[in-house]
Amino acid sequence: MIKLNGIYKWYQSGINRNFVLKDINLNIEEGAFISLMGPSGSGKSTLLNIIGMLDEPSEGEYLFLDQSVFAMKERQRKELYKQYIGFVFQSYHLIDELTVYENIEAPLLYQGVKSSERRSMVADMLDRFSIVGKKDLFPNQLSGGQQQLVGIVRALIAKPKLILADEPTGNLNSAQGDEIMQLFQQLNREDGVTILQATHSEKNAAYGHRTIHLLDGQIQHQHVPL
Amino acid sequence: MYSSFLKTAIRNVIRHKAFSFLNIAGLTFGLTACILIGLFVQDEMQFDKFIPEGSRIHRVYYQITTEEGTSQVATTPPMFATALQQEFPEVENTLRVLNNPNKELFEVGDTKLYEEGGILAEQNFFEIFPLQLTYGSAVAALEDPNSVVISQELARKYFGDKNPVGKKITISKSPFQVSGVFQNNPKFHLPITYIFPLVAAGIAEERMQSWDWYSFNNYVKLKQGADVEGLQAKFQRYTQPFLQGDETTTYLPLFQPLHDIHLYSADFRYDMAVRGNIIYVKALIVTALFILVIACFNFVNLATAKSLQRAKEVGVRKTIGANRSQLMVQFILETIFLTLISVVLATLFAWLFLPLLNQFTEKQIAFDLLADPMNVLLLLLLAVLVGVLAGFYPALVLSGFQPVKVLKGTFSGDSRPGKTPWLRHGLVVIQFSLSVLLIISAIVVRRQVTYLHSKELGFEKEQIMFFPMRGERMSSNVETFKNELLQSPFIEGVTVGYGFPGDMFGDGMMTVPGKGEQKKATQLMVDHDYIKTLGLELVAGRDFSREMKTDKDHGFIINETAVKELGLGTPEQALGETLLWPTWRNADSVKRGQVIGVVKDFHYKSLYERVEPAVLQIYPQAYWKVAVKIKAAGIEKALPYVKEVWEKFSPEYPLEYNFLDESFDKMYKAEDKLRSLLWIFSGVAIFVGCLGLFGLAAYAAERRTKEIGIRKVLGASSQNIVLLLSGDFVKLVLISILIASPVAWYFMQQWLQDFAYRINISWWIFVVAGLSAIAIALVTVSFHAIRAALRNPVRNLRTE
């Protein structure tokens, strides 16, 4: 599904290049659940952003479903993004002015889904994740775990093939974190969603099929848990 | 999608209350001013538009060019109409109207009242100006010389609701019969209340063939498709032989479109039309635009300053699939939502304030804003336009945020320390430049108006009661009447004549025999007490004297300007010079006399006009008006006495008078209004600007909380902090003053050119305007600066 060939990302600082990513080569097949680990500043987020098409590499090739992403026109890339990718953030990033219901509905608006269809899709999701009772609350009326759940539901509403999660449990306590991880696992197994998460926690990383260790912008090693 | 935008918009308005309030308040004030100005301007532009085929109607006026420059005169000779009708095939019709400047006494039964607003008009008046006739026939109403057509108001006053056609009215002791009732349109340029047929004046046929009796309003209606310019040129050529002035004066007839009469005749002389002034209309439009621009800039400034708060939302929306144009639409719609609220509020306020505006401008503007769907559409359009103008730039900035940057949490918008927000500063400078421009204009106008009202006019206008003589007994016993008035201890002097300051004047050609100098001069027909009573100052020679029997028939007193223009040297040298004047009664008989005195120039007309050469002479045939000088604090005692004497001489006429200073003050009514309007609207402009500044200051104080905390920990005093925070804004205001001053100077200089007598724009006006702008800005900004400075620094740093 995803193929990265020789991805570099650097920032020019005077005559020096500060490398954030160095020669990343990576293959992610559909249906995988992969954890990215590494200390702060190792390039996890940048890598996620590049895969999520929010950022561009300085050099290298990125194939998404065998299409070269950065050779595409901006519009095509947006379409691809809208169709296949959902983002989950450490600090949830819900829109404060919108209710739970409206937050979940928002991506559908931008995809031009009809209102009746929208209503049933959102209702399904609320039902499935048992948050019907919270649909009219605003983000600041929810706990962190609940907010993250909404964040995930919002990422899922458009039925993406790939979920990119940047430290999704970073702001949660361990019990809440476990729930989110179990949810990811379930999504991966039952719905076949490909998941790529960045995390600091060995325990959370273990939910994945494979862990990739990053250090100073380079892949150090990958291992498959027993 | 749009309902979701609307929801977000409403919630944003509610969540950011202070921000929304500042924006809505600013826009509402700005828009209220704009709507009111718009209503006023629309009303001014509508004059005479109701007249069918009005674009084919023109008024013929004179442009008179002398050494001093050009001036316009609304009245022209009666032959203009005759010639146009007979010689030029392009002309469909002509109309002559003669103004009656006097108040006439109307008597119906026991009701006895003076009425003004009378004209004499040719029979086709209602054909050219089809005012609606409630009673009577448009064709025949002005046929019979003993008939009069009256306005609906007059009809109601004298005859109630009954049809008055055929009823008798005694007008100034002559019998007339009502032949029609018309409804005057408030947007008709002639402020008429009654119309006599021109034939009623009994003007001799040869007089109607005069080329130099400039008393008529000559209107001409062209045939469809006729070329005005061409006709005007032909007519100018045709009239050339008849319109010979002297060597230095030329007369040029010009055609003025009917629709231009109201707004483009402000400086016309002898114009009876209800006149506005295009300059003041334009000034108001510009002011409205200024205010709107200031309010829009507020929005741009506050929105971009606050952009940080929306940055996260932009990032999130982009990561869930929004593209830039969708976000721009969202933000612009939010702005339109705000402007819509403001437009609704502003409409409400405009409706509330309209009666005040009407009272102030003496107009009857109706608030039919909402009755006409076109107007509703216009208001909506205004909201959308303002929304797009104000919302476009902030939307552009906001929608351009990169999600990668704004979602990381390290994003600081465009407010990185050390980076000057050029745009925001630029807009503040523009806002304050406009405000300072308005303040300076307001001060200059105010000073000029004060000057107009208070300038030494060269005579004493206070405590002078002024009225026309009425009735046979009074006119034939002038001296007895005067003497009787003088019996009162409260009356200081009485003078009769024709040619009192602020009233009407005649003129005539003065010749210095031998020298060949010939000059037109204002003729002041006076008695022996004129100079004394009005307190004129003699600079050479003596006043008229009853002892010198030759004064009456052979004495002239002239003003300084006349001395100069007639080439008589100094006032002393002028004494004894001979002057010739062709008398009014009979152009062939020439009055020959000597200059016996010279008076200092005095302003007998408005200060718009330069003092012209003036000649005073004893002329009992024109003892038409009376001026009574009353002793200080004697008015209450003197008035009943004057009335009593009046009753004795003219019991059949009620006494009707005014005071000279009042009629002088009335000359500057337009300027008085301009002054007040400018003060009100500069106030609005500054207030709106300050709302924005207030928001920006709050934002700046918030942004620099940490800096302030550190500075205070390092030992800065609260005063230091206040100075630090206010200093930035004061700098901007200073730049604004530098920009606005020369611009204001230029435009005010232009405006003052209209006045023959005017103030100098002195440097201190700019200082005062500048200081007040700085003071207002400081007060606005310091609220937040002081609050920030007094905050506990430890708390500031901890929350960072």
Side-chain angles (χ1 to χ4, degrees), chain A residues 11 49 54-55 78 81-82 87 89 91 93-99 102-103 106-107 109-110 118 138 140 154, chain B residues 1 4-5 7-8 11-12 15-16 312-313 316-323 326-327 330 402-404 407-408:
Chain A
Y11 293 102
N49 286 338
L54 297 179
D55 208 350
K78 276 252 157 193
Y81 173 88
K82 272 200 234 175
F87 249 100
F89 302 93
S91 41
H93 286 330
L94 300 178
I95 300 175
D96 299 333
E97 284 77 21
L98 300 182
T99 63
E102 291 156 358
N103 262 292
L109 292 174
Y110 293 119
R118 275 201 318 258
F138 284 93
N140 59 11
R154 185 179 64 186
Chain B
M1 177 142 48
S4 157
F5 289 168
K7 249 183 278 177
T8 331
R11 290 186 194 141
N12 263 309
R15 177 183 288 251
H16 306 289
K312 189 190 110 184
E313 184 191 332
V316 173
R317 283 189 186 271
K318 280 194 168 178
T319 56
I320 60 175
N323 56 38
Q326 285 170 322
L327 287 172
Q330 180 193 340
Q402 299 284 320
V404 184
L407 293 181
K408 238 189 264 174

Coordinates of all heavy atoms in Angstrom, one line a residue, chain A residues 11 49 54-55 78 81-82 87 89 91 93-99 102-103 106-107 109-110 118 138 140 154, chain B residues 1 4-5 7-8 11-12 15-16 312-313 316-323 326-327 330 402-404 407-408:
Chain A
Y11 N 16.2 20.7 6.8 CA 16.0 22.1 6.8 C 17.3 22.8 6.6 O 18.3 22.4 7.2 CB 15.4 22.5 8.2 CG 14.0 22.0 8.4 CD1 13.7 20.9 9.2 CD2 12.9 22.6 7.7 CE1 12.5 20.4 9.3 CE2 11.6 22.1 7.9 CZ 11.4 21.0 8.7 OH 10.2 20.5 8.8
N49 N 3.6 12.8 8.9 CA 3.0 13.9 8.1 C 3.3 13.7 6.6 O 2.5 14.0 5.8 CB 3.6 15.2 8.6 CG 3.0 15.7 9.9 OD1 1.9 15.2 10.3 ND2 3.7 16.5 10.6
L54 N 0.6 15.7 4.5 CA 0.5 17.1 5.0 C 1.9 17.8 4.8 O 1.9 19.0 4.9 CB 0.2 17.0 6.5 CG -1.2 16.4 6.9 CD1 -1.3 16.4 8.4 CD2 -2.3 17.2 6.2
D55 N 2.9 17.0 4.6 CA 4.2 17.6 4.4 C 4.9 16.9 3.2 O 4.5 15.8 2.8 CB 5.0 17.3 5.7 CG 6.1 18.4 6.0 OD1 6.3 19.2 5.0 OD2 6.6 18.4 7.1
K78 N -5.3 15.7 -2.9 CA -6.3 16.0 -1.9 C -7.4 14.9 -2.0 O -7.9 14.5 -0.9 CB -6.9 17.4 -2.2 CG -6.1 18.5 -1.6 CD -6.8 19.1 -0.4 CE -5.8 19.8 0.4 NZ -6.2 20.2 1.7
Y81 N -6.2 11.8 -0.5 CA -6.1 11.9 0.9 C -7.5 11.8 1.5 O -7.7 11.0 2.5 CB -5.5 13.3 1.2 CG -5.6 13.7 2.7 CD1 -4.5 13.3 3.5 CD2 -6.6 14.4 3.2 CE1 -4.5 13.7 4.8 CE2 -6.7 14.7 4.5 CZ -5.6 14.4 5.4 OH -5.7 14.7 6.7
K82 N -8.4 12.5 1.0 CA -9.8 12.5 1.5 C -10.4 11.1 1.5 O -11.1 10.7 2.4 CB -10.7 13.4 0.7 CG -10.7 14.8 1.1 CD -12.0 15.5 0.5 CE -11.6 16.7 -0.3 NZ -12.7 17.3 -0.9
F87 N -6.6 11.0 10.2 CA -5.6 11.4 11.1 C -6.1 11.4 12.6 O -7.3 11.8 12.8 CB -5.1 12.8 10.8 CG -3.7 12.8 10.3 CD1 -3.5 13.0 8.9 CD2 -2.6 12.8 11.2 CE1 -2.2 13.0 8.4 CE2 -1.3 12.8 10.7 CZ -1.1 12.9 9.3
F89 N -4.8 12.7 16.5 CA -3.7 13.5 17.1 C -3.6 13.2 18.6 O -4.5 12.8 19.2 CB -4.0 15.0 16.9 CG -4.1 15.3 15.4 CD1 -5.4 15.4 14.8 CD2 -3.0 15.7 14.7 CE1 -5.5 15.7 13.5 CE2 -3.1 16.0 13.3 CZ -4.4 16.1 12.8
S91 N -3.2 15.5 20.8 CA -4.1 16.4 21.6 C -5.5 16.6 20.9 O -6.1 17.6 20.9 CB -3.5 17.8 21.7 OG -2.8 18.2 20.5
H93 N -7.4 17.5 18.8 CA -7.7 18.5 17.8 C -9.1 18.4 17.3 O -9.4 18.2 16.1 CB -6.7 18.4 16.6 CG -5.4 18.9 16.9 ND1 -5.2 20.0 17.8 CD2 -4.2 18.6 16.5 CE1 -3.9 20.3 17.9 NE2 -3.3 19.4 17.1
L94 N -10.1 18.4 18.3 CA -11.4 18.5 17.9 C -11.7 20.0 17.7 O -11.0 20.9 18.2 CB -12.4 18.0 19.0 CG -12.2 16.5 19.3 CD1 -13.1 16.1 20.4 CD2 -12.4 15.7 18.0
I95 N -12.8 20.4 16.9 CA -13.1 21.8 16.7 C -14.0 22.2 17.9 O -15.1 21.6 18.1 CB -13.8 22.0 15.4 CG1 -12.9 21.6 14.3 CG2 -14.2 23.5 15.2 CD1 -13.5 21.7 12.9
D96 N -13.5 23.1 18.7 CA -14.1 23.5 20.0 C -15.5 24.0 19.8 O -16.4 23.9 20.7 CB -13.3 24.6 20.7 CG -11.9 24.1 21.0 OD1 -11.8 22.8 21.1 OD2 -11.0 24.9 21.1
E97 N -15.8 24.7 18.6 CA -17.1 25.3 18.4 C -18.1 24.3 18.0 O -19.3 24.6 17.9 CB -17.0 26.4 17.4 CG -16.4 27.7 18.0 CD -14.9 27.6 18.1 OE1 -14.3 26.7 17.4 OE2 -14.3 28.3 18.9
L98 N -17.7 23.1 17.7 CA -18.7 22.1 17.2 C -19.0 21.0 18.2 O -18.1 20.7 19.0 CB -18.1 21.4 15.9 CG -17.8 22.3 14.7 CD1 -17.3 21.5 13.5 CD2 -19.0 23.2 14.3
T99 N -20.2 20.5 18.2 CA -20.6 19.4 19.1 C -19.9 18.1 18.6 O -19.3 18.0 17.5 CB -22.1 19.2 19.1 OG1 -22.5 18.8 17.8 CG2 -22.8 20.4 19.5
E102 N -21.3 17.1 15.3 CA -20.8 18.0 14.2 C -19.4 17.7 13.9 O -19.0 17.8 12.7 CB -21.1 19.4 14.5 CG -22.5 19.8 14.6 CD -22.8 21.1 15.4 OE1 -21.9 21.6 16.0 OE2 -24.0 21.5 15.5
N103 N -18.6 17.5 14.9 CA -17.2 17.1 14.7 C -17.1 15.9 13.8 O -16.3 15.8 12.9 CB -16.4 16.9 16.0 CG -15.7 18.2 16.4 OD1 -14.7 18.5 15.8 ND2 -16.1 18.8 17.5
A106 N -18.1 16.6 10.2 CA -17.4 17.6 9.4 C -16.7 17.0 8.1 O -16.8 17.6 7.1 CB -16.4 18.3 10.3
P107 N -15.9 15.9 8.3 CA -15.2 15.4 7.1 C -16.2 15.1 5.9 O -15.9 15.3 4.8 CB -14.6 14.1 7.5 CG -14.5 14.2 9.0 CD -15.6 15.0 9.5
L109 N -18.9 16.6 5.2 CA -19.2 17.9 4.5 C -18.3 18.2 3.4 O -18.6 18.6 2.3 CB -19.2 19.0 5.6 CG -20.3 19.0 6.6 CD1 -20.0 20.1 7.6 CD2 -21.7 19.2 6.0
Y110 N -17.0 18.0 3.8 CA -16.0 18.4 2.8 C -15.9 17.4 1.6 O -15.3 17.6 0.6 CB -14.6 18.5 3.4 CG -14.6 19.7 4.4 CD1 -14.4 19.6 5.7 CD2 -14.8 21.0 3.9 CE1 -14.4 20.6 6.6 CE2 -14.8 22.1 4.7 CZ -14.6 21.9 6.1 OH -14.6 23.0 6.9
R118 N -25.4 11.5 5.3 CA -24.5 12.0 6.4 C -25.2 11.6 7.7 O -24.5 11.0 8.6 CB -24.4 13.5 6.4 CG -23.3 14.0 5.5 CD -22.8 15.4 5.8 NE -23.9 16.3 6.2 CZ -24.3 17.3 5.4 NH1 -23.9 17.4 4.1 NH2 -25.2 18.1 5.8
F138 N -20.1 19.5 23.8 CA -19.0 20.1 23.2 C -17.7 19.5 23.7 O -17.7 18.9 24.8 CB -19.0 21.6 23.4 CG -20.0 22.3 22.6 CD1 -21.3 22.6 23.1 CD2 -19.7 22.8 21.3 CE1 -22.2 23.2 22.4 CE2 -20.6 23.4 20.6 CZ -21.9 23.7 21.1
N140 N -15.1 20.4 25.2 CA -14.6 20.7 26.5 C -15.5 20.1 27.6 O -15.2 20.3 28.8 CB -14.4 22.3 26.7 CG -15.8 23.0 26.5 OD1 -16.8 22.4 26.4 ND2 -15.7 24.3 26.4
R154 N -14.1 10.4 14.2 CA -14.1 11.4 13.1 C -13.1 10.9 12.0 O -13.4 11.1 10.8 CB -13.6 12.7 13.6 CG -13.7 13.8 12.6 CD -13.3 15.2 13.1 NE -11.9 15.1 13.5 CZ -11.2 16.1 14.1 NH1 -11.9 17.2 14.4 NH2 -10.0 16.0 14.4
Chain B
M1 N -23.6 22.0 4.1 CA -22.4 22.6 4.5 C -22.5 24.0 5.0 O -22.0 24.4 6.0 CB -21.4 22.6 3.3 CG -20.1 23.2 3.6 SD -18.7 22.4 2.8 CE -19.1 22.3 1.1
S4 N -23.8 24.3 8.5 CA -22.7 24.0 9.5 C -21.8 25.3 9.7 O -21.4 25.6 10.8 CB -21.8 22.8 9.0 OG -20.6 22.9 9.5
F5 N -21.6 26.0 8.5 CA -20.8 27.2 8.6 C -21.5 28.2 9.5 O -21.0 28.9 10.3 CB -20.6 27.8 7.2 CG -19.7 27.1 6.4 CD1 -19.6 27.3 5.0 CD2 -18.8 26.1 6.9 CE1 -18.7 26.7 4.2 CE2 -17.9 25.4 6.1 CZ -17.9 25.7 4.8
K7 N -23.7 27.6 11.8 CA -23.6 27.2 13.2 C -22.3 27.7 13.8 O -22.2 28.3 14.9 CB -23.8 25.7 13.3 CG -25.1 25.3 14.0 CD -25.1 23.8 14.1 CE -25.6 23.1 12.8 NZ -25.6 21.7 12.8
T8 N -21.2 27.3 13.1 CA -19.9 27.7 13.6 C -19.8 29.2 13.8 O -19.3 29.7 14.8 CB -18.8 27.3 12.7 OG1 -19.2 26.2 12.0 CG2 -17.5 27.0 13.4
R11 N -21.7 30.3 16.9 CA -21.0 29.9 18.1 C -19.8 30.8 18.3 O -19.4 31.1 19.4 CB -20.7 28.5 18.1 CG -22.0 27.6 18.2 CD -21.7 26.2 18.3 NE -22.9 25.4 18.1 CZ -23.0 24.3 17.5 NH1 -21.9 23.7 17.0 NH2 -24.1 23.7 17.4
N12 N -19.1 31.1 17.2 CA -17.9 31.9 17.3 C -18.3 33.3 17.8 O -17.5 33.9 18.6 CB -17.2 32.1 16.0 CG -16.1 31.1 15.9 OD1 -15.2 31.0 16.8 ND2 -16.1 30.3 14.8
R15 N -18.9 32.9 21.5 CA -17.8 32.5 22.3 C -16.8 33.7 22.5 O -16.3 34.0 23.5 CB -17.0 31.4 21.6 CG -15.7 31.0 22.3 CD -15.1 29.9 21.5 NE -15.8 28.7 21.7 CZ -15.4 27.7 22.4 NH1 -14.2 27.7 23.0 NH2 -16.1 26.6 22.5
H16 N -16.6 34.4 21.4 CA -15.6 35.6 21.5 C -16.4 36.8 21.6 O -16.5 37.7 20.7 CB -14.7 35.6 20.2 CG -14.0 34.3 20.0 ND1 -13.0 33.9 20.8 CD2 -14.2 33.4 19.1 CE1 -12.5 32.7 20.4 NE2 -13.3 32.4 19.3
K312 N -5.8 26.6 14.9 CA -5.9 25.2 15.2 C -7.1 24.6 14.3 O -7.0 23.6 13.7 CB -6.2 24.9 16.6 CG -6.1 23.4 17.0 CD -6.6 23.2 18.4 CE -7.9 22.5 18.3 NZ -8.5 22.2 19.7
E313 N -8.2 25.4 14.4 CA -9.4 24.9 13.7 C -9.1 24.8 12.2 O -9.5 23.8 11.6 CB -10.5 26.0 13.9 CG -11.8 25.5 13.2 CD -12.9 26.6 13.2 OE1 -12.8 27.5 14.0 OE2 -13.7 26.6 12.2
V316 N -7.1 21.6 11.7 CA -8.0 20.4 11.9 C -8.8 20.2 10.6 O -8.9 19.2 10.0 CB -8.8 20.5 13.1 CG1 -9.8 19.3 13.2 CG2 -8.0 20.5 14.4
R317 N -9.5 21.4 10.2 CA -10.4 21.2 9.1 C -9.6 20.8 7.8 O -10.1 20.0 7.0 CB -11.1 22.6 8.8 CG -12.2 22.8 9.8 CD -13.0 24.0 9.4 NE -14.0 24.3 10.4 CZ -15.3 23.8 10.4 NH1 -15.6 23.0 9.5 NH2 -16.1 24.2 11.4
K318 N -8.4 21.3 7.7 CA -7.6 20.8 6.5 C -7.3 19.4 6.6 O -7.4 18.6 5.6 CB -6.3 21.7 6.4 CG -6.6 23.0 5.8 CD -5.4 23.7 5.4 CE -5.7 24.9 4.5 NZ -4.4 25.6 4.1
T319 N -7.0 18.9 7.8 CA -6.6 17.4 7.9 C -7.8 16.5 7.7 O -7.7 15.4 7.4 CB -5.9 17.1 9.3 OG1 -6.8 17.5 10.3 CG2 -4.6 17.7 9.4
I320 N -9.0 17.1 8.0 CA -10.1 16.2 7.7 C -10.7 16.5 6.3 O -11.9 16.1 6.0 CB -11.2 16.3 8.8 CG1 -11.7 17.8 8.9 CG2 -10.7 15.8 10.1 CD1 -12.9 17.9 9.8
G321 N -10.0 17.2 5.5 CA -10.3 17.2 4.1 C -10.8 18.5 3.5 O -11.2 18.6 2.4
A322 N -10.8 19.6 4.3 CA -11.2 20.9 3.7 C -10.1 21.4 2.8 O -8.9 21.3 3.1 CB -11.5 21.9 4.9
N323 N -10.5 22.1 1.7 CA -9.5 22.8 1.0 C -9.6 24.3 1.2 O -10.5 24.7 1.9 CB -9.5 22.4 -0.5 CG -10.9 22.6 -1.1 OD1 -11.5 23.6 -0.8 ND2 -11.3 21.8 -1.9
Q326 N -12.8 26.3 0.4 CA -13.9 26.0 1.3 C -13.7 26.8 2.6 O -14.7 27.4 3.1 CB -14.0 24.5 1.6 CG -14.6 23.7 0.4 CD -14.4 22.2 0.7 OE1 -13.4 21.8 1.2 NE2 -15.4 21.5 0.3
L327 N -12.5 26.8 3.1 CA -12.2 27.6 4.3 C -12.4 29.1 4.1 O -13.0 29.8 5.0 CB -10.8 27.3 4.8 CG -10.6 25.9 5.4 CD1 -9.2 25.6 5.7 CD2 -11.4 25.8 6.7
Q330 N -16.0 29.8 4.2 CA -16.5 29.7 5.5 C -16.2 31.0 6.3 O -17.0 31.6 6.9 CB -15.8 28.6 6.3 CG -16.3 28.5 7.7 CD -15.5 27.6 8.6 OE1 -14.7 26.7 8.1 NE2 -15.5 27.8 9.9
Q402 N -0.7 26.3 7.4 CA -0.3 24.9 7.2 C -0.7 24.1 8.4 O -0.2 24.4 9.5 CB 1.2 24.9 6.9 CG 1.7 25.6 5.8 CD 1.4 24.9 4.5 OE1 1.5 23.7 4.4 NE2 0.9 25.7 3.5
P403 N -1.4 23.0 8.2 CA -1.8 22.2 9.3 C -0.6 21.7 10.1 O -0.6 21.6 11.3 CB -2.6 21.1 8.7 CG -2.6 21.2 7.3 CD -2.0 22.6 6.9
V404 N 0.5 21.3 9.3 CA 1.7 20.7 10.0 C 2.2 21.7 11.0 O 2.6 21.4 12.1 CB 2.8 20.4 8.9 CG1 3.9 19.8 9.6 CG2 2.2 19.6 7.9
L407 N -0.7 22.7 14.0 CA -1.1 21.7 14.9 C 0.0 21.2 15.8 O -0.3 20.6 16.8 CB -1.7 20.4 14.1 CG -3.0 20.7 13.3 CD1 -3.4 19.5 12.6 CD2 -4.0 21.2 14.3
K408 N 1.2 21.6 15.5 CA 2.3 21.3 16.4 C 2.3 22.0 17.7 O 2.8 21.6 18.7 CB 3.6 21.5 15.7 CG 4.5 20.3 15.5 CD 5.8 20.6 15.0 CE 5.9 20.4 13.5 NZ 7.2 20.9 13.0

